[in-house]
Amino acid sequence: MESYGRKRKGPEISLSIGKSLTPLTDLWSHMSLGDYSRQKKRSKEDEAKELVGSIRSVVEGNFTAPPGKVASMDPLCRGLKRKIGCIDRATQLGRKKKIAQEYDLGAKIGHGKFGCVVLCRSRATGEEFACKMLRKREELVHQEVEIMQHLSGHSGIVTLNAVYEDLESFYLVMELCHGGRLLDQMTKEGQYSEHRAANILRDLILVIKYCHDMGVVHRDIKPENILLTASGQMKLADFGLAVRVTNGQNLNGVVGSPAYVAPEVLAGNYSEKVDIWSAGVLLHALLVGFLPFQGGSLAAVFDAIKKGSLDFTSGLWDSVSQPAQDLVAHMLTRDVSARLTADEVLKHPWIVFYTEPTLEALTLKPVSGCHGRHGQQKLTATPPRVESKTSSYFLHNDSTLISLSDVSSSRLEEQDCRLIDALTTAISRVRISESKRSRLCGPAIPIKQECSSNMTVNSLCTAF
Ligand SMILES: Nc1ncnc2c1ncn2[C@@H]1O[C@H](COP(=O)(O)OP(=O)(O)OP(=O)(O)O)[C@@H](O)[C@H]1O
């Protein structure tokens, strides 16, 4: 079995921006900021958070990850054992039995920075799972386990079935995602249609919303951490950097993956909105095949994140509709209060248009004679209804905006290409107000592209 002896990311991560950087060549593999700063002291925020969690757990009768200092003084893994006591029966059983008694471990299917993931098969049922192995001496695994367990049950999250341990390692038995990583699919397929991008984003935002509603910030949203089932369903994975937050609690541990990290993370004071930023980076990559913030070094990437502008006037965006651009801009605004929440993203007209069930049925049938990149569609049923709330979001910001739900339903009933054109035109007139716009990424100055395409495994993995 392959050795997997690198240090595991934990909550004890901080990063001094502007200090000497790891040579770029060393960064070309999906690194999180935590990697660059593993030697640093654990952040005060995480210590405070864990203390709060610990106190709360006593009050509420739940176990959470123990405070880091206590954990480091305790015999290894005590926190996990305590945690196991409150997770499901399968996991409790796992504590007593050895994994080899119940599963046959197979070929390696993935390798993260901190562990190896292998195929495994239940001896009892023959069912296949993925088993993530983490070395005890290098791992504070309890927080990841606790959060996975806390979130378990959502169809968009990889299910943790059981946890085992031996002297050396922990074994997390998870549902197997046969479809691989979204990153690999993106690398293969390049630019996505708006319809597909919207559906991917919606699925992701639904999971992010669930995490946020459950008091969890993922902090490492990126296509490497989005796995796909055989049927193509998305599953969010890798909660190694996730944290639990109480209402309104601000975070300050500098963690994430360089190209996906929100500017306020670099500033050291942030909230769950960092996940929306990262999802915005992903949406940008889906729509145009490039990451928005790039650079030849880690410092340059951070500089772009902190100061760079999105340039929707570049040819890159010619074939992308204005509503899609609008959503990207509202997810990648540095003004955190102006950045959309998960709920607001889900209600954005572009998302509603492409993902509303009746629309999906309407938009699947290609028809010749319609123009526009995504206009090769025919409306064959009742016109789409876009929730008035969505429209009012825009009306609220600019009185000149139109309501999408007012886009002449009678015209839509004509069921020909002119209708989809009319709707497209109407959507393209949706604008944000000047006041809101001024809070976005500033004037459209092109972001320097370091290479002709960054849709490669290397560049997307490294998130540069
Ligand atoms: N449930 C799963 N089903 C299939 N493959 C998986 C599963 N979980 C993980 N993998 C594979 O293993 C890889 C590493 O897993 P994971 O990201 O959880 O580990 P990590 O050590 O936390 O990695 P990272 O470096 O991304 O932080 C994934 O990119 C994926 O290819």
Side-chain angles (χ1 to χ4, degrees):
M1 197 161 293
E2 173 142 331
S3 100
Y4 41 93
R6 295 182 62 182
K7 276 230 167 194
R8 173 71 181 166
K9 60 196 164 191
E12 60 285 351
I13 294 164
S14 65
L15 177 72
S16 297
I17 308 301
K19 295 249 173 93
S20 63
L21 297 167
T22 312
L24 188 62
T25 47
D26 291 346
L27 303 176
W28 292 131
S29 88
H30 54 266
M31 275 193 173
S32 294
L33 294 180
D35 296 349
Y36 313 129
S37 55
R38 200 151 310 283
Q39 311 303 326
K40 311 270 180 186
K41 283 192 273 175
R42 69 182 295 113
S43 73
K44 285 180 187 162
E45 160 248 319
D46 284 316
E47 287 180 19
K49 171 187 63 60
E50 288 177 359
L51 281 166
V52 168
S54 177
I55 292 162
R56 273 188 58 216
S57 71
V58 173
V59 173
E60 295 170 4
N62 295 323
F63 290 111
T64 59
K69 279 181 180 162
V70 175
S72 63
M73 289 186 296
D74 275 358
L76 283 168
C77 319
R78 181 170 293 172
L80 178 61
K81 286 184 176 176
R82 283 170 50 205
K83 176 57 209 165
I84 285 172
C86 71
I87 58 182
D88 62 28
R89 273 181 66 79
T91 311
Q92 288 183 47
L93 280 175
R95 180 183 169 193
K96 293 176 192 132
K97 294 195 178 182
K98 296 291 168 217
I99 187 164
Q101 290 176 256
E102 302 198 337
Y103 294 88
D104 292 320
L105 299 185
K108 188 174 93 172
I109 52 174
H111 197 112
K113 293 176 298 297
F114 311 107
C116 163
V117 179
V118 299
L119 203 62
C120 73
R121 179 176 281 113
S122 163
R123 292 185 161 210
T125 66
E127 199 180 343
E128 286 187 324
F129 296 91
C131 176
K132 184 168 175 173
M133 301 183 293
L134 300 161
R135 283 181 76 101
K136 284 181 176 177
R137 286 182 192 285
E138 298 162 348
E139 171 66 0
L140 286 173
V141 69
H142 40 72
Q143 182 160 302
E144 184 171 354
V145 174
E146 191 268 336
I147 286 178
M148 283 189 82
Q149 193 65 31
H150 177 61
L151 297 174
S152 196
H154 191 281
S155 62
I157 288 174
V158 172
T159 305
L160 177 65
N161 293 83
V163 180
Y164 294 83
E165 62 176 298
D166 57 24
L167 282 178
E168 298 275 297
S169 307
F170 290 116
Y171 303 85
L172 311 192
V173 179
M174 304 175 287
E175 101 181 82
L176 177 63
C177 299
H178 288 93
R181 307 177 304 176
L182 176 63
L183 174 76
D184 303 318
Q185 194 190 74
M186 289 168 73
T187 306
K188 231 186 309 169
E189 300 190 18
Q191 205 170 345
Y192 281 55
S193 72
E194 291 194 26
H195 182 269
R196 257 185 102 196
N199 279 277
I200 289 170
L201 185 75
R202 176 180 169 274
D203 289 351
L204 174 62
I205 295 292
L206 279 172
V207 184
I208 290 175
K209 175 178 157 44
Y210 171 73
C211 292
H212 293 177
D213 288 349
M214 295 289 283
V216 172
V217 185
H218 187 279
R219 300 201 294 186
D220 201 17
I221 300 289
K222 56 180 180 176
E224 297 88 316
N225 289 338
I226 297 168
L227 304 181
L228 304 166
T229 64
S231 64
Q233 196 199 341
M234 161 196 301
K235 302 268 178 180
L236 186 58
D238 195 358
F239 288 83
L241 290 183
V243 284
R244 291 182 74 163
V245 289
T246 51
N247 259 353
Q249 182 191 346
N250 266 24
L251 302 166
N252 58 32
V254 181
V255 301
S257 294
Y260 292 84
V261 81
E264 65 270 20
V265 172
L266 302 176
N269 184 18
Y270 59 93
S271 67
E272 81 286 347
K273 288 268 189 91
V274 297
D275 288 343
I276 300 296
W277 174 281
S278 305
V281 172
L282 173 63
L283 177 59
H284 186 291
L286 288 170
L287 288 171
V288 296
F290 283 83
L291 289 165
F293 306 109
Q294 301 183 47
S297 67
L298 193 57
V301 174
F302 289 162
D303 216 45
I305 290 168
K306 287 187 274 188
K307 298 186 208 126
S309 302
L310 299 174
D311 180 15
F312 294 114
T313 63
S314 79
L316 214 58
W317 290 93
D318 280 355
S319 60
V320 180
S321 73
Q322 192 162 349
Q325 296 175 23
D326 176 87
L327 180 55
V328 171
H330 279 84
M331 294 176 78
L332 292 180
T333 171
R334 294 192 188 90
D335 180 343
V336 178
S337 63
R339 193 179 306 155
L340 301 185
T341 61
D343 260 329
E344 287 169 338
V345 172
L346 292 171
K347 289 172 187 162
H348 189 280
W350 182 74
I351 292 288
V352 174
F353 179 75
Y354 280 113
T355 64
E356 212 259 35
T358 55
L359 279 178
E360 257 179 338
L362 294 171
T363 55
L364 285 176
K365 207 169 173 181
V367 93
S368 59
C370 298
H371 59 76
R373 182 176 165 223
H374 303 292
Q376 302 85 4
Q377 299 154 340
K378 183 172 181 177
L379 294 171
T380 56
T382 46
R385 280 190 46 220
V386 180
E387 289 201 359
S388 56
K389 248 187 176 174
T390 309
S391 305
S392 68
Y393 167 76
F394 290 95
L395 289 167
H396 174 73
N397 290 304
D398 186 339
S399 58
T400 64
L401 297 183
I402 59 159
S403 161
L404 283 188
S405 51
D406 289 337
V407 176
S408 168
S409 58
S410 59
R411 274 189 288 156
L412 290 168
E413 282 161 12
E414 292 171 33
Q415 299 186 2
D416 65 16
C417 296
R418 282 173 298 144
L419 303 183
I420 194 77
D421 288 345
L423 185 57
T424 305
T425 306
I427 291 174
S428 72
R429 288 172 54 198
V430 172
R431 288 194 175 82
I432 51 171
S433 68
E434 284 311 314
S435 59
K436 196 95 171 174
R437 187 189 296 275
S438 66
R439 285 184 273 160
L440 300 181
C441 286
I445 301 163
I447 297 167
K448 195 175 162 219
Q449 302 293 325
E450 295 295 327
C451 51
S452 60
S453 167
N454 67 358
M455 192 57 76
T456 64
V457 172
N458 268 352
S459 56
L460 276 180
C461 278
T462 53
F464 272 67

